[in-house]
Amino acid sequence: MRYFFRRLLQAAFLLIGVSILTFLFSTLAPGNYFDEMRLNPQISSETVAALRAQYQLDRPLPIRYVRWVISLLHGEMGFSFAYNSPVAPLLWVRARNTLLLALTATLIAWALALPLGIWSATTLGRMPDRALSSVTAALLVIPELVLALGLLILAVRTGWFPTGGMVSAGVENFSALQKIRDILWHMELPVLALVLYALPMLVRHVRAAVAEVLEAPFLRAAESHGIRRRTLLYRYALRAAANPLISLFGFSVGTLLSGSLLVEAVMSWPGLGPMLLEAILARDLYVVIGGVLCSTIFLVAGNFIADLLIYWADPRIRTRVAAR
């Protein structure tokens, strides 16, 4: 319990550091949300000054940060200039959509990576392994943006997939089952982009981890006792290679949640990505800070989940933690 408390404390310090740096860099960037108003002759300089005072942009930087922290503790995370609303409710709606997309892609990517990686490890150096390695190497060099744009062009040319959004027009008239099917249909293309982005790295890590334990003496002894090959691989070899893969799982959850922001922006998925991009272009300071903080929370949560899974899966870790 002390170990997890220490991990939570480290995560809290990390979030504080990220919030300070994001607040500092966002504030020191030239320009702000109200600068364009000065170019409008219909808006007086007094009005602009009053709006800056209303949103406390005329206050010193430390005071603004402290007031933002106070608003964070009240569950607001500051106030959006563009939406004229507290940031937290805006982010929560978008974060749910991002979580739905990224977690679905993570589960599918791992469901494919485990059998592919194990198969590659059992055929190490032979033709199937070389073919799979060539495919993963080709996917690794394709940037995520190019991958998303290529799939979007495919959707436009073929009409097989929707080209944007999360639901179809008139979805309010659909039944509950039709709404679920419609959302799943709109998810197919962005989920495919995220799976293709994450799959090569996962397959290579699974291959390396399993290949390392295949020559272990206990596996050879188990094989000599007539245990089936499938049981040997999925029950014993995979379990022996589980620790680094569990750590990778936690990391992949965080990176896919952050990486999905670009796919969302390209494919018009109503998640954090488009909202964060709009906020950056509009210099909507507190929405930018909230979006970056959400991405950091996703990454920290993924690693914390990995710690819990390792603690549950490996009795050696439990013994070591209990001894501290």
Side-chain angles (χ1 to χ4, degrees):
M1 187 61 67
R2 188 182 303 172
Y3 169 77
F4 289 111
F5 177 76
R6 187 162 59 247
R7 292 286 290 168
L8 288 173
L9 198 60
Q10 291 172 354
F13 279 118
L14 174 63
L15 292 174
I16 292 171
V18 169
S19 70
I20 291 174
L21 290 176
T22 308
F23 196 93
L24 179 64
F25 292 150
S26 301
T27 305
L28 295 181
N32 59 62
Y33 181 80
F34 301 105
D35 280 352
E36 293 185 6
M37 291 185 178
R38 293 193 177 97
L39 303 177
N40 190 339
Q42 297 180 347
I43 301 177
S44 65
S45 58
E46 290 80 9
T47 301
V48 175
L51 287 171
R52 284 177 56 85
Q54 177 183 345
Y55 290 101
Q56 300 176 1
L57 294 181
D58 56 342
R59 298 290 187 89
L61 183 61
I63 294 177
R64 281 152 52 193
Y65 178 75
V66 170
R67 295 188 70 89
W68 177 79
V69 171
I70 293 173
S71 75
L72 178 64
L73 296 176
H74 283 87
E76 296 177 349
M77 298 182 72
F79 208 81
S80 169
F81 309 141
Y83 293 92
N84 194 31
S85 166
V87 171
L90 298 173
L91 290 178
W92 170 239
V93 174
R94 298 300 188 99
R96 286 184 305 179
N97 299 338
T98 296
L99 283 170
L100 174 64
L101 187 66
L103 292 180
T104 303
T106 300
L107 295 177
I108 293 175
W110 274 98
L112 294 173
L114 287 174
L116 286 175
I118 293 173
W119 176 62
S120 182
T122 58
T123 59
L124 200 63
R126 301 203 293 271
M127 181 58 70
D129 175 52
R130 290 200 297 269
L132 184 59
S133 297
S134 299
V135 172
T136 56
L139 287 174
L140 278 172
V141 300
I142 301 177
E144 187 182 8
L145 178 60
V146 175
L147 196 61
L149 288 174
L151 291 174
L152 195 59
I153 292 172
L154 175 67
V156 172
R157 294 284 180 87
T158 62
W160 295 343
F161 305 99
T163 55
M166 185 175 174
V167 294
S168 303
V171 70
E172 61 275 1
N173 299 321
F174 292 0
S175 66
L177 183 59
Q178 288 175 326
K179 289 179 181 178
I180 293 174
R181 288 177 176 174
D182 187 61
I183 292 174
L184 292 176
W185 183 48
H186 282 78
M187 285 177 62
E188 288 178 0
L189 208 62
V191 165
L192 179 59
L194 290 175
V195 169
L196 291 177
Y197 168 70
L199 188 61
M201 180 190 68
L202 299 182
V203 169
R204 287 178 167 241
H205 278 84
V206 173
R207 172 182 179 269
V210 174
E212 187 177 350
V213 302
L214 281 180
E215 298 301 321
F218 79 93
L219 283 178
R220 292 188 175 184
E223 190 173 15
S224 67
H225 282 78
I227 296 178
R228 290 189 307 168
R229 185 69 171 169
R230 183 180 180 84
T231 304
L232 192 71
L233 290 173
Y234 284 90
R235 184 173 179 180
Y236 296 104
L238 187 58
R239 186 171 183 179
N243 282 13
L245 296 181
I246 290 174
S247 298
L248 179 64
F249 174 77
F251 181 74
S252 67
V253 170
T255 52
L256 264 185
L257 282 165
S258 300
S260 67
L261 302 184
L262 177 60
V263 172
E264 291 173 358
V266 172
M267 297 186 172
S268 301
W269 179 265
L272 288 174
M275 186 179 190
L276 188 57
L277 180 61
E278 292 172 4
I280 292 172
L281 295 176
R283 300 185 182 93
D284 199 351
L285 172 65
Y286 298 114
V287 175
V288 173
I289 296 171
V292 173
L293 200 61
C294 276
S295 297
T296 308
I297 290 172
F298 292 157
L299 185 59
V300 170
N303 282 276
F304 188 72
I305 290 171
D307 286 345
L308 290 175
L309 290 175
I310 290 176
Y311 182 83
W312 170 75
D314 193 338
R316 296 171 300 176
I317 301 295
R318 294 197 295 271
T319 303
R320 193 178 306 166
V321 170
R324 291 181 178 178

